[in-house]
Amino acid sequence: MNEMTTVSYQQHAYSEGAKTLLARKPALFINGEWVASSHGETIAVEDPSSGQVVSHIADASVADTDRAVAAARAAFDDGRWSGLAPIARERIMLRLADLIEAHGDELAELEAIDVGKPKSMAGVVDIPGAVSHIRYMAGWAAKLGGETLQPYTMPNSGMFSYTIKEPVGVCAQIVPWNFPLLMACLKIAPALAAGCTIILKPAEQTSLTALRLADLIAEAGIPAGVVNVLTGYGHISGDRLVKHPDVDKVAFTGSTEIGKLINKNATDTLKHVTLELGGKSPVVVMPDVNVAETAPGAAGAIFFNSGQVCVAGSRLFVHKSIFDEVIEGIAATAPFWAPRPSLDPAAHMGPLVSKEQYDKVLGYIEAGKRDGASVAMGGDAPSADGYYVNPTVLVNVNPQMSVVREEIFGPVVVAQRFEDLDEVAKAANDTCFGLAAGIWTKDLGAMHKLASKIKAGTVWGNCHAMIDVALPFGGYKESGIGREQGRAGIEAYLESKSVIIKL
Ligand code: ADP
């Protein structure tokens, strides 16, 4: 499919600034200081565009994790952050947002090197997204408060009752590798606005921007111990955070499999848990659409970020009257989405994040072919040192196939035909996931009917993955527990206390 495009898979040169950051000594950010891990172990950082090891990060041990929790606990208990005037928290957060914005180019390059996503994409999606999460949540810091309430069973006079909102406490925030800085900021923003303290654990594959974020957190004036950044493995430091008795809340974004494990592990200490997990989001294309607009939209819904997106539109349902036309329209986007090295200015899609993901995604494509699916686009990987997979459309699939049922987390979409609205709503809901859905139609009745019938936390009409911090985000079914963003997002970091006083 790439015969019309000549792509070089050679990664472009790093800037001098990036080279300096990659040469940093591996360290953990605990209590406002950079410290080595207790056992001196490190984790290699790979550039997925080249498959080369380009840096090392510290591997936090259980002892390091305990140290970070103790720092966050002390910082919470002495009120050095929650005790500040809300206006002060707000201003410091806005300063952090400004610093991230000012370092946008450098952060976008780090993200490109670490994740494999095009730098240009990180510059217009990840970095502004991270900034907007902090700015929006900074505004909540000064707008939180309880209510004065009239008790139902007690006389009005002689009683005074009210609620107070308080921060939940020490928060472990565990984030994935697909949008590292964006996810880190999405997590820390509401916690900071609420007055919580934090141990942030980035994914072991992609920790570079979280480390840079720690520098900016210190520069912004967030007091020591309020945000601690622990690089390390999920099953070691992540696991310890989830089980640690001094952690009050765990916020996790990642796979459904690990989310279920975290939910179980957090039970013994009854932590607050919010989980944002996997998806197999349907994209429904009704017969009335303009195919010239919709086909590229459906392609973007799956190929953006190499399909490594929890809301990726990975199950495409097209009305049978326009099925072939839409599939041809998607296949025609192949040159645009042809994977390229992340620092190639022409790149719209990079490699997958790691060899592990590459093997997993190609394994699914092979399983799909074995099960009888046909390839309408891609279906293979170019020969290169990095982890490139060509954008892929599979047709002639059925609901029993693993490619239809399971989250692939790669640039692979399965396309099916449908005849009527009720049938497609049922098919769209035939999944254990319920994160998001896309509906493409000009028929307002069909749009609203489908938006109501589809069981998903977010539904998009005539667009996809338009995530905005003002709107709550989260999953139905096995796509998660709780909501992030918007008012619900800040409330997830607050306790409510009722005070009833007999005067
Ligand atoms: P993926 O499958 O997409 O690689 P994961 O769900 O495994 O994503 O990982 C997401 C985040 O969860 C990462 O920061 C990872 O280190 C962390 N993690 C993995 N396993 C555990 C665990 N057992 N406990 C806590 N955190 C974990």
Side-chain angles (χ1 to χ4, degrees):
M1 48 137 270
N2 277 332
E3 56 278 4
M4 281 156 61
T5 13
T6 323
V7 175
S8 160
Y9 298 103
Q10 178 75 37
Q11 176 63 302
H12 291 217
Y14 299 169
S15 70
E16 288 309 311
K19 284 185 200 161
T20 309
L21 290 170
L22 292 171
R24 265 172 101 128
K25 213 165 114 205
L28 308 165
F29 187 69
I30 300 178
N31 209 22
E33 287 173 7
W34 289 103
V35 295
S37 69
S38 58
H39 52 19
E41 303 278 321
T42 60
I43 301 171
V45 176
E46 217 182 359
D47 178 343
S49 297
S50 64
Q52 299 290 309
V53 172
V54 295
S55 185
H56 288 85
I57 54 169
D59 169 17
S61 64
V62 168
D64 297 322
T65 309
D66 288 352
R67 235 169 115 187
V69 173
R73 184 82 255 165
F76 184 74
D77 290 345
D78 70 14
R80 75 186 76 163
W81 180 244
S82 62
L84 293 181
I87 189 175
R89 282 210 306 278
E90 179 176 6
R91 288 174 85 163
I92 294 173
M93 289 180 69
L94 292 175
R95 207 178 302 147
L96 175 62
D98 290 347
L99 284 168
I100 295 170
E101 200 166 54
H103 290 267
D105 191 63
E106 166 201 322
L107 289 162
E109 184 177 354
L110 279 187
E111 217 69 304
I113 293 169
D114 215 5
V115 188
K117 65 176 67 201
K119 182 186 168 195
S120 53
M121 190 189 87
V124 294
V125 177
D126 298 57
I127 312 304
V131 170
S132 73
H133 277 276
I134 296 177
R135 290 205 174 121
Y136 171 87
M137 285 296 172
W140 274 113
K143 295 173 189 68
L144 303 171
E147 293 174 288
T148 309
L149 293 161
Q150 170 62 55
Y152 180 52
T153 57
M154 301 174 211
N156 195 6
S157 59
M159 303 299 285
F160 180 49
S161 315
Y162 58 96
T163 59
I164 315 176
K165 298 288 177 184
E166 295 179 352
V168 293
V170 174
C171 303
Q173 303 191 313
I174 302 174
V175 297
W177 45 257
N178 55 348
F179 293 89
L181 182 74
L182 178 53
M183 290 292 153
C185 292
L186 180 153
K187 288 276 185 286
I188 67 167
L192 286 173
C196 296
T197 61
I198 297 159
I199 306 102
L200 173 69
K201 203 208 77 64
E204 50 271 40
Q205 299 88 344
T206 58
S207 295
L208 298 178
T209 48
L211 294 170
R212 197 68 187 113
L213 178 65
D215 292 331
L216 303 179
I217 281 169
E219 196 179 333
I222 294 176
V226 173
V227 183
N228 304 275
V229 179
L230 279 186
T231 55
Y233 289 109
H235 63 283
I236 300 172
S237 56
D239 183 64
R240 178 62 183 155
L241 286 171
V242 171
K243 294 175 180 164
H244 200 296
D246 273 342
V247 171
D248 301 300
K249 174 180 165 103
V250 177
F252 170 80
T253 297
S255 62
T256 290
E257 184 196 349
I258 299 296
K260 287 180 180 176
L261 182 65
I262 286 179
N263 203 28
K264 275 193 203 115
N265 289 342
T267 296
D268 281 346
T269 45
L270 276 186
K271 294 186 191 346
H272 294 245
V273 176
T274 43
L275 302 172
E276 200 273 272
L277 310 176
K280 192 77 180 173
S281 298
V283 170
V284 177
V285 179
M286 298 299 283
D288 64 89
V289 299
N290 174 347
V291 173
E293 283 168 16
T294 304
I302 182 67
F303 302 140
F304 167 66
N305 213 41
S306 305
Q308 303 169 128
V309 184
C310 54
V311 297
S314 51
R315 287 182 302 142
L316 178 63
F317 297 95
V318 185
H319 191 267
K320 63 174 193 173
S321 62
I322 53 167
F323 184 84
D324 292 340
E325 220 185 317
V326 170
I327 299 302
E328 277 162 31
I330 295 175
T333 67
F336 180 88
W337 291 109
R340 293 171 186 268
S342 62
L343 296 178
D344 180 341
H348 298 108
M349 188 174 102
L352 300 184
V353 72
S354 63
K355 174 80 166 56
E356 191 187 342
Q357 280 304 114
Y358 173 88
D359 289 340
K360 186 178 148 201
V361 171
L362 287 179
Y364 270 114
I365 294 174
E366 287 317 308
K369 290 179 191 167
R370 260 200 319 275
D371 290 345
S374 325
V375 175
M377 173 185 183
D380 56 2
S383 145
D385 293 330
Y387 308 126
Y388 305 90
V389 171
N390 288 320
T392 295
V393 179
L394 299 177
V395 294
N396 296 328
V397 296
N398 66 57
Q400 280 71 49
M401 294 180 182
S402 64
V403 284
V404 176
R405 302 217 73 78
E406 295 168 24
E407 183 177 43
I408 299 176
F409 226 61
V412 182
V413 62
V414 291
Q416 294 161 269
R417 292 176 170 79
F418 72 90
E419 274 186 55
D420 71 67
L421 193 142
D422 286 329
E423 173 205 348
V424 74
K426 200 158 166 250
N429 288 331
D430 180 19
T431 169
C432 64
F433 297 110
L435 193 58
I439 302 162
W440 293 75
T441 180
K442 295 193 195 88
D443 176 346
L444 278 181
M447 179 70 84
H448 288 296
K449 274 186 202 152
L450 278 170
S452 149
K453 282 174 187 285
I454 294 178
K455 294 184 174 63
T458 299
V459 175
W460 289 291
N462 298 321
C463 62
H464 202 90
M466 300 296 284
I467 294 174
D468 185 277
V469 59
L471 282 116
F473 181 82
Y476 284 31
K477 302 197 263 181
E478 293 187 21
S479 287
I481 296 179
R483 292 292 177 270
E484 297 185 299
Q485 307 182 167
R487 189 184 187 115
I490 179 87
E491 280 175 355
Y493 286 87
L494 294 170
E495 287 279 17
S496 183
K497 179 181 283 173
S498 293
V499 182
I500 304 158
I501 301 169
K502 187 164 181 286
L503 300 172

